[in-house]
């Protein structure tokens, strides 16, 4: 194992220890769902093309209404491409996202058919695609973080995006790094966050 791979494995092991210290499921689930969390710390290490496409392949198989598969991806990998994304990502997010080797603008095709019908589930289905991306990335030892803090109008203008494409989120993707690479203002927040109790999310059925 190379020094870079050893360092990455050490970061991953520390991360998993952090997860067990901060997260306890109410009911038994596969550890994948508990151990995945959204990091802001990214290593200066490129993501191979086949690895990136494996992550996107997982999204390809996400469920969608009427199998319309509305998700679309604008991908920035090269320095030139990432510079374009930096023009519309808000400054507060650029503090950490500038270090991510891959940026993905997750968008959706809002069209249901060629007659101008609208797919009312396009945003819902985009959420399924994002979940698949996050979980597959985690299985491959990668970190992801989705952000809504970007200028949608500017992104549309810069990337010449047609009106029927709706912009959802920018996803930062890369290998997780240690706290020493992260801006100080984010270090205390670079931990797996907890979840409220499952019972708090289940609403009571009431008859009018």
């Amino acid at each position: 194992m190379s020094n870079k791979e050893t360092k990455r494995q050490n970061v991953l092991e520390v991360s998993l220890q952090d997860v067990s210290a901060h997260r306890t499921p109410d009911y038994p689930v596969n550890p994948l769902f508990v151990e995945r969390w959204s990091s802001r710390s990214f290593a200066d290490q490129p993501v191979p093309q086949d690895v990136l496409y494996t992550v996107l392949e997982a999204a390809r198989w996400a469920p969608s209404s009427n199998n319309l598969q509305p998700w679309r991806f604008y991908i920035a990998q090269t320095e030139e491409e990432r510079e374009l994304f930096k023009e519309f990502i808000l400054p507060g997010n650029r503090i950490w996202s500038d270090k991510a080797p891959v940026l993905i603008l997750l968008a959706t095709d809002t069209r249901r058919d060629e007659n101008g019908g609208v797919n009312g589930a396009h945003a819902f289905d985009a959420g399924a695609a994002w979940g698949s991306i996050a979980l597959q990335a985690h299985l491959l030892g990668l970190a992801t973080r989705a952000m809504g803090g970007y200028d949608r109008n500017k992104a549309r203008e810069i990337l010449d995006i047609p009106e029927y494409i709706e912009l959802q989120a920018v996803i930062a993707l890369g290998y997780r790094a240690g706290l020493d690479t992260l801006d100080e203002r984010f270090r205390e927040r670079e931990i797996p966050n907890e979840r409220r109790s499952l019972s708090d999310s289940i609403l009571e059925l009431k008859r009018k």
Side-chain angles (χ1 to χ4, degrees):
M1 185 179 290
S2 68
N3 290 337
K4 184 174 289 186
E5 289 173 331
T6 300
K7 184 176 181 180
R8 188 172 68 197
Q9 182 63 33
N10 290 339
V11 169
L12 180 59
E13 289 174 356
V14 170
S15 298
L16 296 184
Q17 291 171 8
D18 288 343
V19 170
S20 63
H22 292 91
R23 291 181 164 183
T24 303
D26 290 347
Y27 296 89
V29 295
N30 189 292
L32 170 66
F33 297 99
V34 181
E35 293 172 354
R36 187 223 63 81
W37 60 284
S38 298
S39 174
R40 291 184 180 88
S41 182
F42 292 96
D44 182 19
Q45 179 180 350
V47 176
Q49 190 81 355
D50 61 331
V51 174
L52 169 60
Y53 279 17
T54 294
V55 171
L56 296 178
E57 180 72 13
R60 175 184 172 223
W61 293 99
S64 65
S65 175
N66 290 294
N67 197 31
L68 290 175
Q69 307 166 51
W71 43 77
R72 300 291 185 270
F73 311 111
Y74 293 94
I75 304 169
Q77 282 183 281
T78 67
E79 186 62 34
E80 182 180 3
E81 291 167 343
R82 285 187 288 128
E83 285 299 323
L84 288 177
F85 274 50
K86 290 175 185 179
E87 291 186 44
F88 56 79
I89 294 175
L90 298 185
N93 282 329
R94 283 198 52 192
I95 296 171
W96 56 269
S97 67
D98 277 4
K99 294 185 178 180
V102 179
L103 295 168
I104 303 167
L105 175 54
L106 172 59
T108 48
D109 188 330
T110 62
R111 299 172 298 178
R112 178 181 177 84
D113 51 49
E114 296 179 355
N115 299 319
V118 176
N119 175 10
H122 68 91
F124 180 80
D125 293 342
W130 151 238
S132 297
I133 286 171
L135 292 173
Q136 181 61 64
H138 178 73
L139 285 171
L140 295 173
L142 292 157
T144 54
R145 189 175 184 90
M147 60 185 118
Y150 67 99
D151 188 323
R152 286 161 174 76
N153 292 330
K154 200 169 184 179
R156 186 177 295 280
E157 178 184 350
I158 291 171
L159 301 180
D160 193 24
I161 298 172
E163 286 301 318
Y164 61 82
I165 297 293
E166 185 165 317
L167 308 184
Q168 303 296 339
V170 176
I171 302 167
L173 172 74
Y175 294 100
R176 183 175 286 124
L179 288 177
D180 57 324
T181 66
L182 191 62
D183 188 277
E184 290 184 2
R185 73 195 80 181
F186 294 117
R187 290 182 184 178
E188 290 186 2
R189 298 160 62 184
E190 187 67 0
I191 57 173
N193 48 21
E194 188 48 276
R195 294 291 190 270
R196 61 172 173 266
S197 172
L198 175 60
S199 61
D200 291 337
S201 294
I202 300 176
L203 303 180
E204 181 182 356
L205 292 176
K206 295 181 179 180
R207 184 187 296 272
K208 290 185 72 173

